[in-house]
Amino acid sequence: MQMAVALHVLQVGTQVAAVSRLMLKKSGYPARDIKARIESAWNSVNLYDVLIIIFDVHRHLTRPDSRVIRLIERMGSEPNLKQKRILCMNKVDLIEKKKDLLKVSEQFKDLQGYERVFMISGLKGSGVKDLSAYLMEQATERPWDEDPFTMSEEVMKNISLEVVRERLLDHVHQEIPYEIDHRLVDWKDLRDGSLRIEQHFLTQKESQRKILVGKNGSKIGRIGMEANEQLRSIFKRNVHLILQVRLK
């Protein structure tokens, strides 16, 4: 069994950080190429004023995962004086018997570390307004750490990598994406105001390279087209995205 965690960061309706999926192997240990991401995420947990623990309540009721339960219990074991933590049950639209939701709430009710528990459906939108209103109430007015209307080049580079990798995950469903190196090779602002981005995928085996490229380059071509369109929408400028697949 594998577990994927998706994180979206949105700002004023514009996606400023693309989706990150963290893949765990059957043993529960992270795949090699995302170990650093997991460590970075844990190291940053205490940096925020509000921490939201979101889990799939439908899966919890049908196929409970002990690792997820341990994480929920760990993060909510005791109050954090410097940070508010809330528990968020997602995909409630898939639950036919609403009393089952109450059972889950009862399961975690003794965790003193969570200030609130929300039941939402990210797909249908139910409960999202209440969650948003709560977060707005917690927002503290203070000077921006960075210009909110400016996206740094470093942030843009990270976004470009995340967007391409997300499209890769959508089109290649085997474990191959977690066994390859993904690198930003070139980043150049062109005279006409457009942006040239070149990224390389380095595979371990020729068979992996062929799967990623697809027949006559169809798969990597589709990945590139979709990612290019998304990056153009995010950066509000023309983007020339070049993807290459090579053996290490």
Side-chain angles (χ1 to χ4, degrees):
M1 179 185 62
Q2 296 174 328
M3 180 175 69
V5 180
L7 171 65
H8 293 259
V9 181
L10 305 177
Q11 180 179 23
V12 198
T14 300
Q15 187 170 356
V16 296
V19 178
S20 295
R21 291 182 180 175
L22 305 183
M23 180 64 70
L24 299 181
K25 295 180 178 178
K26 292 181 180 179
S27 63
Y29 294 100
R32 289 173 301 172
D33 64 334
I34 52 89
K35 183 178 180 180
R37 291 189 186 190
I38 295 177
E39 291 177 350
S40 176
W42 277 115
N43 290 336
S44 67
V45 161
N46 292 321
L47 297 177
Y48 308 107
D49 299 319
V50 179
L51 187 68
I52 308 174
I53 309 299
I54 305 177
F55 70 101
D56 182 339
V57 69
H58 179 260
R59 176 167 179 171
H60 179 73
L61 287 167
T62 56
R63 292 174 295 152
D65 190 323
S66 60
R67 294 168 297 174
V68 175
I69 295 173
R70 287 197 301 269
L71 175 63
I72 293 172
E73 292 175 343
R74 172 184 172 183
M75 302 307 293
S77 60
E78 58 185 25
N80 187 318
L81 299 179
K82 296 182 179 180
Q83 182 183 76
K84 292 184 178 180
R85 295 180 176 180
I86 61 177
L87 187 61
C88 194
M89 297 188 290
N90 191 25
K91 299 189 179 181
V92 298
D93 56 296
L94 299 179
I95 309 302
E96 295 182 0
K97 298 179 180 179
K98 299 309 176 184
K99 64 180 182 180
D100 289 339
L101 294 175
L102 298 179
K103 291 180 181 179
V104 178
S105 295
E106 185 71 15
Q107 179 182 357
F108 299 121
K109 71 179 179 61
D110 293 330
L111 296 176
Q112 301 300 312
Y114 296 118
E115 181 176 278
R116 292 279 301 275
V117 176
F118 289 89
M119 301 181 186
I120 71 168
S121 167
L123 179 64
K124 303 294 185 180
S126 62
V128 174
K129 285 186 177 180
D130 291 337
L131 175 59
S132 299
Y134 170 84
L135 294 175
M136 290 301 295
E137 290 174 0
Q138 309 310 312
T140 302
E141 186 174 349
R142 61 190 179 196
W144 289 94
D145 293 332
E146 298 180 11
D147 187 341
F149 301 105
T150 301
M151 194 182 299
S152 70
E153 183 174 295
E154 190 63 29
V155 169
M156 293 174 68
K157 289 179 178 179
N158 288 333
I159 289 174
S160 74
L161 287 167
E162 292 288 351
V163 166
V164 171
R165 192 163 187 85
E166 173 64 12
R167 299 284 73 76
L168 171 68
L169 290 164
D170 285 342
H171 288 277
V172 183
H173 303 294
Q174 298 95 332
E175 287 193 12
I176 291 175
Y178 308 97
E179 298 176 354
I180 65 175
D181 285 338
H182 179 197
R183 301 176 182 176
L184 176 63
V185 177
D186 188 47
W187 180 279
K188 186 178 296 183
D189 289 296
L190 303 181
R191 291 183 179 180
D192 62 1
S194 62
L195 182 62
R196 182 186 187 277
I197 304 172
E198 183 173 345
Q199 298 180 14
H200 290 180
F201 293 110
L202 304 180
T203 65
Q204 302 278 357
K205 304 174 183 177
E206 174 63 19
S207 59
Q208 295 174 339
R209 190 192 72 82
K210 289 182 178 180
I211 291 174
L212 186 53
V213 171
K215 186 176 181 180
N216 298 323
S218 59
K219 186 164 293 183
I220 193 65
R222 173 59 62 182
I223 292 170
M225 289 175 59
E226 293 180 2
N228 194 90
E229 184 67 22
Q230 187 173 354
L231 290 172
R232 185 171 63 177
S233 175
I234 294 171
F235 297 152
K236 309 300 182 185
R237 60 196 293 194
N238 286 330
V239 174
H240 308 285
L241 177 63
I242 300 170
L243 301 180
Q244 293 191 24
V245 185
R246 297 181 176 182
L247 281 172
K248 283 188 176 180

